[in-house]
Amino acid sequence: MVGLSIYRPIIYGNTATVLTPKERESLTSTDHTHKWTVAVRSAASPADSDQVGGADDIGHFIKRVTFKLHDTYSNPSRNIDKPPFEVSETGWGEFEIQIRITFIPESGEKAMTLYHHLKLHPWAASAHPPTPLPKSKRRPVPFHLAHPGSLEASKGGTPEFTALMEKEEAERLEEARKAVLAEQDRWRATLAEKEKELERLQKQAGT
């Protein structure tokens, strides 16, 4: 139908739990402290379940989800071609995961690239060793503009960004700015050299 738009809210993020001593012993990398899962799911949550999201099948409009993990992982680029669109691993460090969502051709939608900072520890910054994530009977409620009433239900959680994460993001942006400026200087120098070479050739052609 011409002019018809359909919106399907999705969520993405990760869960993490601390490995038990027995689980750590069974791993090749004994320095790993957590097991985690990063996922792309429908916004609706299953009834009678602690899982956030995933009640609806999103495989009929999503063709593939590619999770780009840290390069230290074996096969860091993971392609998931059917639900559930998720990757589970173990590790000890937090890093940024690139998530590329490819939609089915019939949707007419371009691929979407998202970025998620993998979280293993509670949101509050702490110098203490890793501790189990707090257990809560209150299920997190995703907020979506299509349901303004969900804003009130989503209040009361811990903030998504800490001062430390803000500082790290500012440092990454500053490094990127410096890299761009350095690249611009390099191209200016190259252009100046080419212009001199062109001037020299023009003089030779005129003699």
Side-chain angles (χ1 to χ4, degrees):
M1 184 180 296
V2 179
L4 176 65
S5 297
I6 299 176
Y7 297 89
R8 294 299 303 272
I10 60 175
I11 59 175
Y12 63 96
N14 80 274
T15 58
T17 56
V18 177
L19 291 166
T20 64
K22 187 174 182 180
E23 288 174 326
R24 293 182 65 175
E25 289 175 1
S26 64
L27 297 175
T28 304
S29 301
T30 56
D31 59 337
H32 286 191
T33 58
H34 290 71
K35 54 185 175 182
W36 52 264
T37 297
V38 59
V40 174
R41 297 171 178 162
S42 65
S45 299
D48 302 322
S49 172
D50 292 332
Q51 176 178 296
V52 177
D56 301 323
D57 179 20
I58 58 177
H60 62 278
F61 64 89
I62 292 181
K63 179 181 180 181
R64 166 180 290 181
V65 177
T66 302
F67 298 92
K68 179 64 171 65
L69 311 182
H70 195 273
D71 289 338
T72 53
Y73 282 90
S74 174
N75 183 26
S77 186
R78 311 286 179 88
N79 293 320
I80 310 300
D81 294 324
K82 61 181 180 179
F85 296 106
E86 60 184 46
V87 169
S88 296
E89 272 289 357
T90 61
W92 59 267
E94 300 179 346
F95 55 91
E96 189 174 69
I97 298 176
Q98 182 190 86
I99 304 172
R100 182 176 175 81
I101 302 175
T102 304
F103 299 94
I104 61 173
E106 293 82 357
S107 69
E109 295 289 338
K110 295 181 180 179
M112 176 189 301
T113 300
L114 309 168
Y115 295 89
H116 172 68
H117 186 86
L118 178 71
K119 292 298 295 180
L120 301 183
H121 311 293
W123 288 110
S126 172
H128 296 290
T131 55
L133 296 180
K135 294 182 178 179
S136 173
K137 294 182 180 180
R138 182 178 179 274
R139 179 186 302 165
V141 179
F143 168 64
H144 192 268
L145 292 175
H147 305 285
S150 64
L151 174 61
E152 188 64 32
S154 67
K155 292 180 179 178
T158 50
E160 183 174 355
F161 296 103
T162 64
L164 177 60
M165 290 178 65
E166 184 176 353
K167 179 175 178 293
E168 291 174 346
E169 181 66 15
E171 290 174 351
R172 284 197 294 268
L173 289 173
E174 179 61 20
E175 290 177 1
R177 186 185 71 84
K178 290 179 179 179
V180 170
L181 292 176
E183 187 70 7
Q184 287 178 342
D185 291 340
R186 187 177 71 83
W187 281 108
R188 286 194 187 99
T190 301
L191 179 60
E193 291 177 1
K194 297 298 183 182
E195 287 177 343
K196 289 180 180 179
E197 179 68 13
L198 176 61
E199 184 180 355
R200 185 181 65 81
L201 293 174
Q202 287 175 338
K203 288 181 178 179
Q204 289 180 352
T207 57

